[in-house]
């Protein structure tokens, strides 16, 4: 089974992230169906919004595609990956799972998906972080003041582009913390922006040996 854990919290709808994440998810689902594998979908934010059990066939692919297309952003104070992982483990016996999210929230969960001495866990989990290019960093010597709306809290803040180095250092540390937290749970991460060829990047990602702690 291939499972897609698909974040629909409001922050994913910033810029081009929503379209990029949808394209990646639909491509993964199509590849699974073409390979005669079962494919399922969990839409989540602070709770489970929709669960589609893994099945095979073109009509099932269309069900997944339609669920992604009609998904509405969920305004919530905190996205909860833990509820999606709990749903996965409760409902699906084994899987290759892809989490699609920006991961711009505290990663508070207790599950581990490490390989063990007796084989592997029943779920191999990969994380695909979808970001806008400006969330990775600002251009050097940027100037000006830009108002930003926080999709999660509803607050508006002003970003001083002249502090681009401080901003870039902060975002770099945040991405590294996300990578480390996922890696400690046996989840490998790849970050993709709209500027990337996502198919090429995911193919290379899947060929990498899993990280170990």
């Amino acid at each position: 089974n291939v499972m897609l854990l698909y974040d629909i919290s409001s922050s994913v709808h910033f810029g081009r992230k929503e379209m990029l994440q949808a394209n990646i998810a639909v491509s993964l689902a199509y590849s699974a169906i073409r390979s005669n594998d079962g494919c399922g979908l969990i839409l989540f934010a602070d709770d489970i919004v929709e669960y589609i059990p893994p099945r095979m066939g073109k009509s099932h692919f269309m069900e997944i595609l339609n669920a992604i297309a009609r998904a509405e952003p969920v305004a919530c104070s905190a996205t909860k990956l833990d509820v999606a992982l709990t749903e996965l483990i409760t409902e699906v016996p084994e899987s290759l799972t892809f989490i699609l999210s920006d991961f711009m929230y505290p990663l508070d969960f207790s599950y581990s998906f490490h390989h063990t001495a007796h084989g592997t866990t029943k779920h191999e989990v990969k994380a695909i972080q979808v970001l806008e290019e400006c969330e990775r960093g600002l251009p050097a010597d940027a100037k000006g003041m830009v108002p930003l709306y926080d999709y999660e809290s509803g607050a508006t803040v002003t970003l001083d582009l002249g502090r681009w180095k401080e901003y870039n250092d902060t975002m770099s540390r945040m991405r590294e913390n996300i990578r480390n937290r996922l890696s400690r749970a046996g989840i490998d991460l790849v970050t993709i922006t709209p500027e990337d060829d996502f198919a090429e990047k995911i193919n290379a990602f899947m060929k990498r040996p899993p990280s170990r702690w």
Side-chain angles (χ1 to χ4, degrees):
N1 295 315
V2 173
M3 288 297 300
L4 306 176
L5 274 55
Y6 192 94
D7 180 2
I8 59 169
S9 61
S10 294
S11 67
V12 177
H13 292 255
F14 170 64
R16 299 165 289 176
K17 289 195 292 186
E18 177 185 10
M19 183 60 68
L20 175 59
Q21 183 169 291
N23 286 337
I24 294 171
V26 170
S27 296
L28 291 171
Y30 183 73
S31 295
I33 296 299
R34 283 290 302 271
S35 299
N36 291 320
D37 293 323
C39 187
L41 175 71
I42 297 174
L43 300 179
F44 74 97
D46 57 344
D47 205 349
I48 302 302
V49 176
E50 185 171 357
Y51 167 60
I52 298 177
R55 290 192 293 273
M56 296 183 290
K58 293 181 180 178
S59 62
H60 186 62
F61 167 73
M62 292 304 300
E63 182 181 359
I64 291 174
L65 188 152
N66 289 333
I68 292 172
R70 68 171 182 267
E72 294 290 336
V74 174
C76 58
S77 58
T79 306
K80 296 180 180 178
L81 178 57
D82 188 65
V83 299
L85 293 174
T86 299
E87 184 80 358
L88 169 72
I89 291 169
T90 302
E91 299 291 344
V92 183
E94 58 184 3
S95 72
L96 168 60
T97 290
F98 295 93
I99 308 168
L100 294 107
S101 175
D102 59 7
F103 296 99
M104 296 293 213
Y105 46 85
L107 294 177
D108 184 17
F109 61 92
S110 57
Y111 297 105
S112 175
F113 302 95
H114 279 288
H115 292 241
T116 68
H118 302 290
T120 63
T121 62
K122 294 181 179 180
H123 299 276
E124 182 177 355
V125 181
K126 306 288 187 181
I128 299 176
Q129 183 181 38
V130 177
L131 295 180
E132 261 293 352
E133 195 65 33
C134 63
E135 291 176 311
R136 298 190 66 174
L138 297 172
D141 301 320
K143 296 179 181 178
M145 307 291 285
V146 177
L148 297 176
Y149 175 78
D150 187 332
Y151 279 78
E152 302 287 335
S153 69
T156 299
V157 297
T158 300
L159 175 64
D160 180 359
L161 298 181
R163 300 174 66 180
W164 59 269
K165 189 176 187 306
E166 180 182 345
Y167 173 90
N168 290 354
D169 289 344
T170 299
M171 297 305 288
S172 178
R173 286 195 302 271
M174 182 183 297
R175 291 196 308 277
E176 188 60 27
N177 287 338
I178 291 168
R179 182 180 299 278
N180 289 341
R181 174 66 184 92
L182 292 170
S183 184
R184 286 195 297 272
I187 302 173
D188 287 323
L189 173 72
V190 63
T191 299
I192 299 177
T193 74
E195 310 303 322
D196 295 321
D197 181 329
F198 72 79
E200 181 178 300
K201 201 159 186 180
I202 290 173
N203 284 336
F205 172 59
M206 294 302 294
K207 293 175 182 177
R208 288 186 343 211
S211 62
R212 303 194 182 278
W213 279 73

